[in-house]
Each structure stands twice: as structure tokens, then as C-alpha cells.
Amino acid sequence: MNQRMPTLLYIDDDGALARLVDRGLTRRGYKVVHAASGEEGLELIRRAGTTGGIDVVALDQYMPGLDGLETLEQIMAIPGAPPVVFVTASQDSSIAVTALKAGAADYLVKDVKGDFIPLLHVAAEGALRQAEMQKAREEAEAEIHASRDRYAALAAEREMLLREVNHRVGNSLQIIASLLHLQASSAAQDEVKAALTNAMGRVAAVAQVHRRLYTSQDLKSVVLNQYLDSLLEDLRRSAEGNRMSRLTLKAEPIEIDPDRAVAVGIIVNELVMNAVKYAYPDGAGPIHVELTSQGDDLLLSISDDGVGDNVKADPRSTGMGQRIVAAMATKLDASVERDPTHSGTRVMLMFRRVPAAAGKPAAAAAN
């Protein structure tokens, strides 16, 4: 397929010079269209519209009616207008500056003999290349904007789906926790009741994370003080709730990722339930949960003012709670220690706010 000849619109009231331009540029592969005034040139450009009928314009400055600068201003206002090479016999550089500021792609001085025509050819070629690059840049920017819009739409859809998944998972886990609560309430044996209550707390700890995710604007993190407050409220309503009236929380508004929030919640559940069972043999007492930041590290502590290490081991204990705490501490890459100076029992976990790099060996230590 033969490539279409580029069309140059030459706007100049000098007919003889227009014929020289026609002959000179036709030999160089151009089709030349002549307009004898700015008004006629504007009409030809408007009729060409977006069909690409005119590729480049050569515009003279001094013409009757609209002069070159006035015509240039109106050309630039036409959507999709072709590039303009401003042509004048004047040596006044201020005209060149004004034309270029108004949007002309190039500027050259003409002569009556047509010696400027090779320069016009070079300027027209440059203007066409510049227009092609501008068009390519605009198309690339449009594609970038379209890609961003598509990405934003996909991200919004993904967020909606994640929120729906978290909602359904949270509801399902809450139903399981409720069933465990009902089963524990109807259990006749204390061991069975305790086991079901413990299982209910573990499920509730996970359910609370999903509840936080689908009710939050941020699906990538959980605010720990809000999460722990809701978790402890669940524990107060549990089968052992009558012994938790003095369960307190002091936590900073720290955000961590959902997986680590689950580990923190399960640890708190296990250690609080352990304190409820063993710290106060003769009744209820205060149990404190604290979460503070220490630079890049977080300190989680669960403490009571009970019997501490003086209590005898319960023969009914399976050690499941300790194994769960150790497993979750490993997940957090946390150290676990007991405070020897505390009169009751105080278990402290130190872990980093941001997870360790992938592949880094865990340094958790369980008591």
C-alpha cells in the first residue's frame, strides 16, 4: 500500500509565491493547497476536521483581513488542528517570539524569489514529526490513565470481594463460637464445659479479626486496641464471665497485619483464661492486659495479682494452652518471659511491629 502524500495548506495572499511553494514542495512529495486569506484557510481547516485532510499549515503574517497572528490564534482553538509553520517577510524577532508563544511549531523568514522553500520543507517535516510525537505522547498518557482507571476499578472490586469474604468468614466463625457457647452451657461435666469454653474463645479471637476487617476502611491492618477491647468484651460474656468483672485493657492504637493480629488475640485469650482458672482459687480478681510500643518493638503483657507460682499444678490441665501460646509466639517471632519481680503472674511477649524478613529464622522463646 502506497503511503499518503502529506498535505500542506499554504495561507498567503501572494498568489505568485504560492505557486512557487506548490511547485517546490510537490517535487518533495507534498500536496499543496492554497488559501488566499486567513478566513479561507480557517474554513479549509474546519472542513478538514478530524479526517486528516490537512497535515501541516504554512501561514504568512501580513495579509488583508485577518493577519497571520490572528489567524494562528483561531487555528490553535480548533480541536485537532494541524501544526503551523509561521512564515513572514519581516525581520522583527518579536513577531517570531509572539508566534511561537501562540503555538506555532516553527518560524522562518520568506523571500519573494522562493529561496526559502527548502527551509519551509525542513520546517514542515519537523512540524510533522513533532505532531506525531505529541500524538504518540497523548495516546500513551491516555493509555496510562485508562490503565490506572482499570487498576482502580479492579482494586475496588477486589476490596469489595475481600470485605465480603471477611464478612462471611466472620459470621461463620461467630456462629461456631455461639454453638460452642450453647454446648458449653448445657455440658454436665466441668472438664467438657471448660474445653468447649476454651475452644469458643479461640474461635472468637479469629472471628473478631474478620469482623474488624470487614467493618474497617483498611483491609490490610487491624488496630490492636480496638480489636483487643472487643475480644475482652467477648471473654466477659463467656461462660466464665462472672469472674472477669475486673478485666482491664490498656493498649495503644497500634496497627498490624491481620495474621499477626490473630496470633496476638489467641495468645491473649489463652493467658486471660489461664489467669481466670488458676490465679484466684478463692474467687475473682483483677486481670490486666497491656500493649505498648517500644521503638520498633511491641510489648504485650497479661498480668494478675493472684497466687503466682505458689499454685499447685492442676491435674486436669492438658497443657494445650501453653502449646498454643508457644506456637503463636513463634508465628510472631516473639520472646516470651515471666516477670520474676511481679507479685502474681505477669507474662510478657516482645515482638517487632513489622514482621521479620522472609527466611529469617524465628527467635521465639517459650516459657
Side-chain angles (χ1 to χ4, degrees), residues 210-237:
H210 289 278
R211 190 182 307 168
R212 285 285 150 198
L213 288 175
Y214 75 73
T215 58
S216 170
Q217 295 298 317
D218 184 5
L219 297 175
K220 298 179 181 178
S221 64
V222 175
V223 184
L224 279 179
N225 63 324
Q226 298 174 357
Y227 167 54
L228 292 175
D229 185 59
S230 298
L231 180 61
L232 296 185
E233 185 59 33
D234 284 347
L235 288 175
R236 291 188 186 97
R237 291 197 299 264

Side-chain angles (χ1 to χ4, degrees), residues 167-185 193 195-208 210-211 234 238:
H167 179 64
R168 295 190 179 190
V169 171
N171 281 351
S172 298
L173 291 172
Q174 195 60 49
I175 290 172
I176 294 172
S178 298
L179 292 174
L180 290 170
H181 176 71
L182 290 174
Q183 193 67 43
S185 300
K193 184 187 294 288
L196 291 172
T197 300
N198 288 341
M200 182 196 71
R202 292 158 188 158
V203 172
V206 181
Q208 274 290 350
H210 289 278
R211 190 182 307 168
D234 284 347
S238 71

Side-chain angles (χ1 to χ4, degrees), residues 117-348:
I117 292 175
L119 294 178
L120 177 58
H121 172 248
V122 173
E125 290 286 301
L128 287 173
R129 286 195 298 271
Q130 182 178 335
E132 289 174 358
M133 288 188 293
Q134 178 64 25
K135 181 180 178 182
R137 181 162 54 248
E138 290 174 353
E139 289 176 350
E141 290 175 354
E143 179 58 31
I144 290 172
H145 288 306
S147 298
R148 287 176 179 171
D149 291 342
R150 289 194 296 269
Y151 175 80
L154 289 172
E157 182 180 3
R158 177 179 177 272
E159 181 173 315
M160 181 185 67
L161 292 173
L162 283 174
R163 201 176 299 280
E164 178 64 20
V165 167
N166 283 311
H167 179 64
R168 295 190 179 190
V169 171
N171 281 351
S172 298
L173 291 172
Q174 195 60 49
I175 290 172
I176 294 172
S178 298
L179 292 174
L180 290 170
H181 176 71
L182 290 174
Q183 193 67 43
S185 300
S186 62
Q189 297 179 329
D190 290 341
E191 294 85 352
V192 174
K193 184 187 294 288
L196 291 172
T197 300
N198 288 341
M200 182 196 71
R202 292 158 188 158
V203 172
V206 181
Q208 274 290 350
V209 168
H210 289 278
R211 190 182 307 168
R212 285 285 150 198
L213 288 175
Y214 75 73
T215 58
S216 170
Q217 295 298 317
D218 184 5
L219 297 175
K220 298 179 181 178
S221 64
V222 175
V223 184
L224 279 179
N225 63 324
Q226 298 174 357
Y227 167 54
L228 292 175
D229 185 59
S230 298
L231 180 61
L232 296 185
E233 185 59 33
D234 284 347
L235 288 175
R236 291 188 186 97
R237 291 197 299 264
S238 71
E240 302 275 355
N242 61 328
R243 302 183 65 188
M244 290 197 212
S245 58
R246 300 174 64 184
L247 179 58
T248 64
L249 171 67
K250 181 179 179 182
E252 298 177 15
I254 297 165
E255 295 185 14
I256 64 173
D257 65 89
D259 286 344
R260 289 157 66 79
V262 167
V264 170
I266 291 176
I267 287 172
V268 169
N269 176 78
E270 296 300 325
L271 294 177
V272 167
M273 293 303 295
N274 189 70
V276 169
K277 293 176 186 177
Y278 305 120
Y280 303 104
D282 299 327
I287 302 172
H288 310 289
V289 178
E290 294 187 21
L291 177 71
T292 58
S293 60
Q294 299 185 356
D296 292 333
D297 295 328
L298 301 178
L299 176 62
L300 172 67
S301 71
I302 297 88
S303 62
D304 60 66
D305 301 327
V307 296
D309 293 334
N310 296 324
V311 65
K312 293 182 179 179
D314 191 330
R316 297 171 298 174
S317 175
T318 63
M320 175 63 73
Q322 293 181 4
R323 292 197 295 273
I324 290 176
V325 169
M328 294 300 103
T330 300
K331 183 179 181 65
L332 290 170
D333 195 17
S335 63
V336 183
E337 299 178 352
R338 286 180 178 266
D339 183 357
T341 65
H342 191 74
S343 58
T345 300
R346 183 179 185 226
V347 179
M348 301 177 297

Side-chain angles (χ1 to χ4, degrees), residues 9 14 23 36 54 56 76 86 108 123 130 145 162 202 219-220 253 300:
L9 172 62
D14 188 336
R23 286 198 296 272
I54 296 174
V56 62
M76 291 296 101
F86 205 78
L108 58 90
Q130 182 178 335
H145 288 306
L162 283 174
R202 292 158 188 158
L219 297 175
K220 298 179 181 178
L300 172 67

Side-chain angles (χ1 to χ4, degrees), residues 11 37-43 45-46 57 59 65-82 84 86 102-104:
I11 305 175
S37 67
E39 292 86 352
E40 183 183 350
L42 286 167
E43 181 61 26
I45 293 171
R46 291 190 182 101
V57 177
L59 175 61
L66 290 175
D67 66 16
L69 290 174
E70 292 170 332
T71 304
L72 174 62
E73 183 178 351
Q74 293 194 35
I75 291 175
M76 291 296 101
I78 299 174
V84 177
F86 205 78

